[in-house]
Amino acid sequence: MIRVNGADREGPSDSRTLLSDHLRHGLGLTGTHVGCEHGVCGCCTVLLDGRAVRSCLLLAVQAEGHEVTTIEGLAALDAPLHPIQQAFHECHALQCGFCTPGFVLAVKGLLDDHPRPTDREIEEGISGNLCRCTGYANIRQAVRRAAELSGPR
Ligand code: FES
Ligand code: FES
């Protein structure tokens, strides 16, 4: 059993299944994107017990007994956008959007550790995620805006 977005979900039937594949194909959570499938692009980033991880580098069975948060779990469909989503929207921090779920969850992990990140911390926090569209300037701006929207902690 894997806890996904606050609900207990079945683990994979095949112990060799990647977490990214289990989320997408087993559980229908297709907001987790898959790009390189070998740990380079960051598209498949999810939170595992609150830490940003690449789901293409984990077996789904390794997540059993742990809490996984995917992009679908960040804000309910009928709820306001999460501050990070709102910031990406305001700052035009996406174009095609393929990289965006991974970036949003990487930024969630970053801001949980550094609520007021320095430019250096922002660089490091998003350095594992590739975007082929935006040139990163708007994404960096969105991280700063998300920190503002998240308020003081
Ligand atoms: S698909 Fe996982 S890092 Fe690229
Ligand atoms: S918005 Fe297209 S890859 Fe990032």
Side-chain angles (χ1 to χ4, degrees):
M1 201 68 75
I2 307 173
R3 191 138 183 99
V4 181
N5 299 335
D8 287 332
R9 305 293 300 265
E10 286 297 325
S13 52
D14 183 339
S15 61
R16 296 168 299 181
T17 304
L18 297 173
L19 179 57
S20 51
D21 287 339
H22 184 58
L23 292 170
R24 289 178 56 82
H25 305 302
L27 304 181
L29 296 169
T30 53
T32 299
H33 291 169
V34 170
C36 66
E37 287 193 280
H38 63 272
V40 173
C41 73
C43 284
C44 64
T45 300
V46 299
L47 301 178
L48 183 71
D49 295 334
R51 311 293 300 183
V53 298
R54 291 153 199 278
S55 59
C56 75
L57 293 184
L58 286 170
L59 297 171
V61 292
Q62 291 177 285
E64 290 189 351
H66 296 275
E67 174 86 39
V68 175
T69 304
T70 70
I71 193 69
E72 291 90 346
L74 207 55
L77 275 179
D78 54 355
L81 293 176
H82 185 279
I84 299 171
Q85 295 171 315
Q86 181 66 31
F88 270 65
H89 171 65
E90 286 182 17
C91 299
H92 309 290
L94 63 143
Q95 290 181 29
C96 79
F98 192 79
C99 69
T100 308
F103 265 99
V104 167
L105 290 169
V107 172
K108 175 80 168 71
L110 166 66
L111 294 181
D112 285 347
D113 285 343
H114 303 287
R116 288 284 179 269
T118 63
D119 287 350
R120 176 75 183 264
E121 288 165 342
I122 292 173
E123 293 290 343
E124 287 180 2
I126 63 172
S127 63
N129 292 68
L130 300 181
C131 175
R132 302 183 74 169
C133 302
T134 65
Y136 301 96
N138 289 18
I139 293 175
R140 287 194 292 269
Q141 184 57 34
V143 179
R144 295 184 199 101
R145 179 65 180 142
E148 285 172 12
L149 290 172
S150 299
R153 300 205 204 160

